[in-house]
Amino acid sequence: MAARRLVSALRSGPARAAPLSTAPAAREQPAAGRGAAPGCGAAEAARPPSRVVDFGSPREAYRSRRSGELVRGWLVLRLCASPWLLAHHEQLLHLTRRLLGQRLFEKLMKMTFYGQFVAGEDQESIRPVIQHNRAFGVGSILDYGVEEDLSPEEAERKEMESCTSAVEREGSGTSKRERQYQAHPAFGDRRDGVISARTYFYASEAKCDSHMETFLRCIEASGGASDDGFSAIKLTALGRPQFLLQFSDVLTKWRRFFHQMAAEQGKTGLAAMDTKLEVAVLQESVAKMGIASRTEIENWFTAETLGVSGTLDLLDWNSLIDSRTELSKHLVVPNMQTGQLEPLLSRFTEEEELQMTRMLQRMDILAKKAAEMGVRLMVDAEQTYFQPAISRLTLEMQRKFNVEKPLIFNTYQCYLKDAYDNVTLDVELARREGWCFGAKLVRGAYMAQERTRAAEIGYEDPINPTYEATNAMYHRCLNYVLEELKHNSKAKVMVASHNEDTVHFTLRRMEELGLYPADRQVYFGQLLGMCDQISFPLGQAGFPVYKYVPYGPVMDVLPYLSRRALENSSVMKGAWRERQLLWQELKRRIRTGSLFHRPA
């Protein structure tokens, strides 16, 4: 069955890792262990004490910047704070291009927005930026920032075609997927309301191959002399999103079935890892539904597959639809409204089967290249209607490649209500199966779009109700992972945040837990051109910190630049603190006669 192939096609032996080049020039000592999980043993090394990090010193924050760069940064961030300019920025860019012509317009962009947020046009031209940042302790996460410039109508058309199965398009069958996992014309343009994430639309298998080649070049560019570089990928770039929708629907229904069984046993309101079903009661319930014979059901729940506790938790439950179990043949769940059993996954046409297989092959090629180059691969999170499948496929890659160290990093969006459950389940699964946990924690990029879509289509809003609730969720997830790192010296986490309070929280908990910068277990990440007052003090204090470094031709990265402008306004409130520090440093240099400061 297609669902089983989704999770079985990625299983084979791991490749060996080699050094890479875009890591920060910081202390590179192996981590000292404190009781690693099975398969994730520790090395021994002396750890120097952590240095105090000051995010309020303009002089320290901008030691790496010439005065001209400070002026550019202050000007760009100031323009990003203007509501009128932001509301009309696309029209203004178009008008400026017409007045100046292509050549002068590109020069103006390189002197302002492009120069602030983009490293260069190609892999050769970005080398000076990477080397300069690395000299000040800041590494690079390379990303080719080019997007297809589609009209909203064209984006909607492509999305509807690529998210609908052949059966649905022909009208010969209605979709069995839940509303959240069906394509909807009003939200066909997935760029709408998204301010900090690149969006891919499926065009053809050849285009997906092209995206894969681009990711491969980024991985190769990140390879070099150290063992701590990163590259980022998006799974929607590698195949038809229809498969992600269908597989997400499968996983969500199966998880909901577990919670429905728990409710029948009077176990509601518990955290995911604390919810356990009595196997004997569950067997009786499943038998009454007529899913299979009683003998078959008894064979599913054996001591060999579930242990001898007489209960099973959500991880045990998820394993029941794994390709290695008999229950995977019975991919049906009860519809609680109709009382009928429904298949979890519709059948694919032969062409759809081939397209799905190619998507999995592309993922495998990228992971093997990352292993070959020694580059850590971060799988970006996307919309909630794709994310269950993305997380499950990433988990399969982690099982295969995170044997000796975390090569594959999953991304957890902490603005989601179920973020803590997702993190704790995956940490526990890594413990049980003996592979190395790797995570990137973000707040999330799709909040406005997710809220509007849930309200209009009619399903529960998946987003935390307030910004404060999201902050609390981020810190709760982060604290849980840091506690895991204390006992597992090869588990890793990237704190991808521009929030200064979150960085302070991380540093405080690291000190309390005895996690040191030299352990290289906790990484920090920010975008190029933003929050230098956080990145560079961290790097100069010896913490592993990285800038997300986009590159590409000027005209092709304009969509990326538009989002950076919007992010500075809406997410960072115009980056008021950063502008203030830039202005203070400029005044200090004028006052002390160091306006021609040369970084060294």
Side-chain angles (χ1 to χ4, degrees):
M1 181 170 275
R4 299 201 300 278
R5 284 192 290 278
L6 277 168
V7 295
S8 65
L10 294 170
R11 290 196 175 114
S12 61
R16 295 183 63 85
L20 38 138
S21 67
T22 51
R27 306 179 184 88
E28 303 213 8
Q29 301 174 353
R34 292 180 297 282
C40 302
E44 293 185 1
R47 302 187 194 88
S50 302
R51 289 169 52 187
V52 176
V53 184
D54 181 7
F55 300 133
S57 169
R59 184 171 184 174
E60 288 302 310
Y62 301 114
R63 280 180 53 215
S64 64
R65 297 290 175 243
R66 297 174 183 267
S67 297
E69 292 175 300
L70 300 186
V71 172
R72 181 190 66 196
W74 182 88
L75 176 63
V76 167
L77 295 179
R78 184 69 188 85
L79 291 173
C80 289
S82 168
W84 186 88
L85 286 176
L86 288 175
H88 301 89
H89 75 278
E90 291 183 353
Q91 298 94 314
L92 290 171
L93 287 173
H94 181 70
L95 177 61
T96 305
R97 182 183 174 189
R98 287 183 58 189
L99 292 174
L100 297 181
Q102 182 79 8
R103 188 160 156 270
L104 287 177
F105 175 76
E106 291 192 6
K107 283 191 174 182
L108 176 64
M109 293 303 294
K110 288 182 177 180
M111 292 170 59
T112 54
F113 292 93
Y114 181 94
Q116 181 71 11
F117 298 123
V118 183
E121 298 203 48
D122 51 39
Q123 292 179 17
E124 190 62 34
S125 64
I126 67 177
R127 288 183 183 275
V129 174
I130 293 172
Q131 292 170 356
H132 178 82
N133 287 349
R134 190 166 186 267
F136 286 88
V138 177
S140 298
I141 303 169
L142 299 188
D143 181 68
Y144 192 60
V146 172
E147 290 186 18
E148 198 173 1
D149 190 14
L150 299 175
S151 68
E153 295 76 19
E154 181 68 8
E156 178 187 323
R157 183 185 65 78
K158 286 192 171 186
E159 184 73 355
M160 293 303 295
E161 288 178 355
S162 63
C163 288
T164 308
S165 68
V167 172
E168 292 167 343
R169 285 195 302 272
E170 293 165 3
S172 55
T174 57
S175 175
K176 296 290 186 181
R177 284 179 267 156
E178 296 191 1
R179 291 179 181 178
Q180 183 175 359
Y181 302 104
Q182 295 182 30
H184 196 289
F187 300 93
D189 187 354
R190 287 185 278 114
R191 301 167 301 183
D192 190 28
V194 177
I195 57 175
S196 58
R198 192 146 43 89
T199 304
Y200 291 93
F201 293 95
Y202 180 84
S204 65
E205 290 300 295
K207 190 68 173 178
C208 292
D209 287 336
S210 175
H211 292 152
M212 181 188 70
E213 292 297 328
T214 298
F215 290 146
L216 286 171
R217 288 194 295 271
C218 286
I219 292 170
E220 289 171 351
S222 292
S226 76
D227 61 354
D228 244 355
F230 286 92
S231 190
I233 65 171
K234 279 185 178 288
L235 294 197
T236 50
L238 300 178
R240 287 180 66 91
Q242 168 200 344
F243 308 125
L244 298 178
L245 283 171
Q246 288 182 270
F247 195 31
S248 292
D249 187 54
V250 168
L251 297 169
T252 301
K253 284 178 177 176
W254 191 245
R255 187 164 174 169
R256 185 175 295 127
F257 189 14
F258 173 85
H259 288 294
Q260 288 166 347
M261 294 295 97
E264 285 190 7
Q265 296 188 18
K267 299 176 181 180
T268 58
L270 300 174
M273 279 308 306
D274 296 330
T275 305
K276 300 182 187 298
L277 301 182
E278 299 294 332
V279 173
V281 179
L282 178 63
Q283 286 176 326
E284 187 66 27
S285 297
V286 173
K288 288 179 180 178
M289 293 175 189
I291 292 176
S293 71
R294 186 173 293 276
T295 301
E296 286 179 312
I297 295 168
E298 289 174 355
N299 289 334
W300 299 339
F301 307 106
T302 64
E304 181 181 349
T305 57
L306 299 176
V308 295
S309 67
T311 64
L312 79 163
D313 59 23
L314 187 53
L315 291 178
D316 299 322
W317 181 260
N318 287 340
S319 73
L320 294 175
I321 58 168
D322 191 275
S323 60
R324 295 165 292 189
T325 66
E326 285 299 312
L327 181 57
S328 60
K329 299 175 183 178
H330 302 267
L331 287 175
V332 294
V333 293
N335 183 318
M336 292 302 176
Q337 294 180 337
T338 66
Q340 300 298 311
L341 293 174
E342 295 181 349
L344 276 176
L345 192 64
S346 352
R347 295 185 177 181
F348 290 158
T349 66
E350 184 176 346
E351 178 60 23
E352 287 171 342
E353 290 270 10
L354 289 173
Q355 290 171 347
M356 181 187 71
T357 300
R358 291 187 196 116
M359 181 182 192
L360 300 177
Q361 289 171 341
R362 293 180 189 110
M363 292 170 59
D364 199 54
I365 288 170
L366 291 173
K368 286 177 178 176
K369 173 59 74 171
E372 175 190 333
M373 301 301 298
V375 174
R376 298 169 193 259
L377 200 61
M378 295 192 305
V379 181
D380 284 345
E382 304 192 45
Q383 285 89 346
T384 53
Y385 42 93
F386 296 136
Q387 193 55 42
I390 291 172
S391 291
R392 179 59 183 262
L393 295 176
T394 303
L395 184 150
E396 294 298 330
M397 293 168 68
Q398 290 177 313
R399 279 174 164 153
K400 179 177 178 180
F401 292 97
N402 288 13
V403 177
E404 297 178 359
K405 66 178 183 179
L407 183 84
I408 309 296
F409 279 57
N410 199 4
T411 301
Y412 298 88
Q413 298 165 304
C414 294
Y415 66 7
L416 297 179
K417 294 174 182 176
D418 60 358
Y420 184 75
D421 282 347
N422 294 335
V423 169
T424 55
L425 285 167
D426 287 357
V427 168
E428 176 61 23
L429 187 65
R431 288 175 190 153
R432 292 185 188 184
E433 297 185 345
W435 46 269
C436 300
F437 181 77
K440 178 177 73 168
L441 298 184
V442 301
R443 278 173 171 77
Y446 307 97
M447 183 175 69
Q449 183 187 98
E450 293 278 13
R451 285 198 191 285
T452 305
R453 190 178 191 271
E456 185 162 332
I457 297 178
Y459 56 88
E460 182 184 353
D461 184 355
I463 308 296
N464 287 315
T466 65
Y467 180 76
E468 290 73 22
T470 292
N471 282 344
M473 179 65 79
Y474 193 105
H475 289 182
R476 186 185 184 198
C477 294
L478 175 58
N479 189 63
Y480 185 89
V481 174
L482 292 175
E483 290 277 0
E484 174 68 11
L485 267 56
K486 177 182 178 180
H487 303 290
N488 179 354
S489 65
K490 280 202 171 181
K492 313 284 185 183
V493 65
M494 172 165 281
V495 183
S497 177
H498 293 160
N499 187 301
E500 195 171 307
D501 291 338
T502 292
V503 177
H504 277 301
F505 173 85
T506 308
L507 297 179
R508 184 175 71 252
R509 291 297 290 140
M510 287 178 67
E511 184 174 1
E512 292 167 353
L513 294 169
L515 299 171
Y516 297 88
D519 292 344
R520 307 192 73 77
Q521 286 185 272
V522 182
Y523 304 93
F524 296 88
Q526 290 86 36
L527 295 167
L528 183 71
M530 296 168 67
C531 288
D532 284 356
Q533 80 278 11
I534 293 177
S535 307
F536 285 90
L538 282 172
Q540 290 159 32
F543 290 87
V545 59
Y546 291 78
K547 285 291 193 183
Y548 187 91
V549 178
Y551 66 97
V554 174
M555 299 308 299
D556 294 337
V557 298
L558 284 181
Y560 176 87
L561 293 176
S562 293
R563 287 199 309 278
R564 292 289 74 76
L566 291 169
E567 181 163 19
N568 274 287
S569 173
S570 60
V571 175
M572 300 183 67
K573 307 301 182 186
W576 175 84
R577 174 168 168 75
E578 190 167 1
R579 295 200 315 271
Q580 184 184 48
L581 291 172
L582 285 164
W583 185 243
Q584 288 175 5
E585 176 60 7
L586 278 170
K587 288 194 297 183
R588 187 197 68 80
R589 291 186 184 184
I590 293 171
R591 188 174 60 252
T592 60
S594 54
L595 196 59
F596 299 100
H597 166 78
R598 296 179 63 86

